[in-house]
């Protein structure tokens, strides 16, 4: 599925450049998993570019998505399996539902895929409807990771995104589902790649009071067992990467 078009007279749904929303655009319902093929045609890229050939321009036009500032909820499975490397979330987003950002990947060849999503940013700006990323300056204040005001992270919401480098969970979050960040890290020699530590804004006492599902943390191979990554409490967000 590359594109979704909704009749403008439909009372329940709308689309923005082929991505499905509810009518008032408070919920993102479906980013088609092959939407990158549509975008390649739209922006004049003649063929699919693979991991070692991706240019900054290609990542901007094809593999970056700005969720409009009206959106309060990422619906179930809305981004799963999409070929995206960067997502910008609006401050004001309240819920990330089950499997919403599950296993984002890029097709490498006929034998397999590789994880694609490497960064999640949040932004403060009103009136952002065009999902095509142009610059961070156009989004107002941009900061690293999940948005302030977020309340709910669903089960398997971010599972199998091993290319993610950093996640910060703001103190506004009250519930995290089971396996929310499952398999978002792996062992390479003695190094832990991907999300090797989980940063949260809550104190340890505040976090203990949350509703948290089983195995919500990334885990890596440790001797004969799986070991969850460390949780760092009372953190502030990291600076934006250069």
């Amino acid at each position: 599925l590359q594109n979704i078009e909704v009749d403008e007279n439909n009372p329940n749904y709308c689309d923005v450049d082929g991505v499905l929303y509810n009518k008032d655009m408070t919920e993102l319902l479906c980013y088609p998993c092959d939407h990158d093929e549509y975008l390649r045609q739209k922006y004049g890229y003649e063929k699919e570019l693979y991991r070692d050939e991706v240019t900054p321009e290609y990542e901007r036009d094809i593999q970056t998505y700005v969720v409009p500032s009206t959106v309060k909820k990422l619906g179930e499975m809305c981004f799963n399996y999409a070929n995206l490397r960067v997502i910008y979330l609006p401050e004001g987003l309240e819920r990330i539902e089950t499997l919403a950002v599950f296993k984002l990947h890029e097709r490498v060849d006929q034998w397999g895929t590789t994880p694609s999503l490497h960064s999640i940013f949040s932004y403060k700006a009103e009136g952002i409807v065009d999902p095509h990323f142009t610059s961070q300056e156009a989004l107002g204040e941009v900061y690293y990771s999940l948005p302030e005001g977020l309340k709910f992270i669903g089960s398997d919401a971010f599972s199998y995104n091993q290319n993610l480098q950093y996640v910060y969970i703001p103190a506004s979050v009250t519930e995290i589902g089971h396996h929310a960040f499952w398999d978002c890290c792996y062992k390479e020699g003695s190094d832990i790649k991907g999300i090797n530590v989980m940063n949260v804004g809550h104190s340890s006492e505040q976090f203990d009071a949350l509703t948290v599902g089983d195995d919500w943390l990334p885990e890596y191979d440790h001797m004969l067992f799986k070991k969850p990554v460390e949780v760092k409490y009372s953190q502030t967000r990291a600076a934006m990467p250069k």
Side-chain angles (χ1 to χ4, degrees), residues 67-82:
V67 176
S69 61
T70 54
V71 172
K72 303 294 183 184
K73 180 196 293 188
L74 299 185
E76 292 186 4
M77 300 186 289
C78 66
F79 279 116
N80 63 346
Y81 299 114

Side-chain angles (χ1 to χ4, degrees), residues 107-118:
R107 290 168 298 284
V108 177
D109 52 38
Q110 60 183 322
W111 295 283
T113 62
T114 189
S116 60
L117 182 67
H118 64 69

Side-chain angles (χ1 to χ4, degrees), residues 103-227:
K103 203 171 187 177
L104 274 59
H105 66 265
E106 50 200 358
R107 290 168 298 284
V108 177
D109 52 38
Q110 60 183 322
W111 295 283
T113 62
T114 189
S116 60
L117 182 67
H118 64 69
S119 296
I120 300 171
F121 303 115
S122 296
Y123 71 91
K124 287 184 182 182
E126 297 181 359
I128 302 297
V129 175
D130 185 356
H132 181 233
F133 178 77
T134 55
S135 68
Q136 290 186 347
E137 289 75 16
L139 298 178
E141 180 183 346
V142 177
Y143 55 87
Y144 209 177
S145 214
L146 303 180
E148 297 290 345
L150 182 67
K151 299 175 182 177
F152 176 82
I153 301 172
S155 299
D156 280 299
F158 293 94
S159 291
Y160 298 101
N161 288 302
Q162 291 187 343
N163 207 31
L164 266 179
Q165 303 299 306
Y166 172 83
V167 168
Y168 171 81
I169 298 175
S172 56
V173 171
T174 59
E175 183 173 351
I176 302 174
H178 66 80
H179 298 87
F181 296 92
W182 182 254
D183 206 10
C184 284
C185 72
Y186 60 97
K187 200 79 170 291
E188 189 175 273
S190 59
D191 296 328
I192 304 171
K193 301 291 187 177
I195 301 174
N196 56 21
V197 63
M198 186 63 70
N199 299 276
V200 301
H202 310 74
S203 68
S204 59
E205 293 79 10
Q206 290 171 331
F207 197 85
D208 287 342
L210 302 190
T211 300
V212 179
D214 293 339
D215 298 318
W216 73 276
L217 280 168
E219 296 184 356
Y220 58 93
D221 293 329
H222 180 70
M223 300 175 71
L224 299 178
F225 306 97
K226 289 283 189 179
K227 183 176 181 178

